[in-house]
Amino acid sequence: MKIDAHQFALQLIAGISQLEGETGERYIKRALTLYLEAFFLIEDFDQLESGQFKNMKKHEINDLVSRLISARLI
């Protein structure tokens, strides 16, 4: 599974609104900070998820090969 980091971050910042008394500049900086944090968090998550999937597949293949070798030797 891969999450689109850009779309995720956009959806996240779409839910925030300017606080009472907050300047436009401060609001934009807060929204940009949230966007960037979300974007890079999802990028990291996708890489971790991809790595876990590859490791799991590798482990399953090794397990299957081991079982085939064991069955052949018995």
Side-chain angles (χ1 to χ4, degrees):
M1 172 167 69
K2 183 163 174 40
I3 299 171
D4 184 322
H6 173 67
Q7 288 301 317
F8 180 86
L10 284 179
Q11 289 295 319
L12 187 64
I13 65 169
I16 67 167
S17 57
Q18 192 167 353
L19 301 174
E20 189 178 325
E22 183 177 42
T23 65
E25 181 180 353
R26 182 68 192 127
Y27 169 66
I28 292 168
K29 286 180 180 178
R30 188 167 56 92
L32 180 58
T33 299
L34 184 59
Y35 174 89
L36 292 172
E37 288 176 347
F39 183 90
F40 289 116
L41 180 69
I42 293 302
E43 288 285 307
D44 289 346
F45 174 81
D46 282 343
Q47 288 177 358
L48 178 63
E49 183 73 15
S50 176
Q52 289 291 350
F53 182 71
K54 287 177 186 173
N55 286 340
M56 191 169 84
K57 280 195 91 139
K58 185 185 262 186
H59 175 72
E60 289 174 356
I61 291 170
N62 289 339
D63 187 45
L64 177 60
V65 170
S66 294
R67 283 192 265 159
L68 288 172
I69 291 171
S70 295
R72 207 169 182 201
L73 296 176
I74 295 177

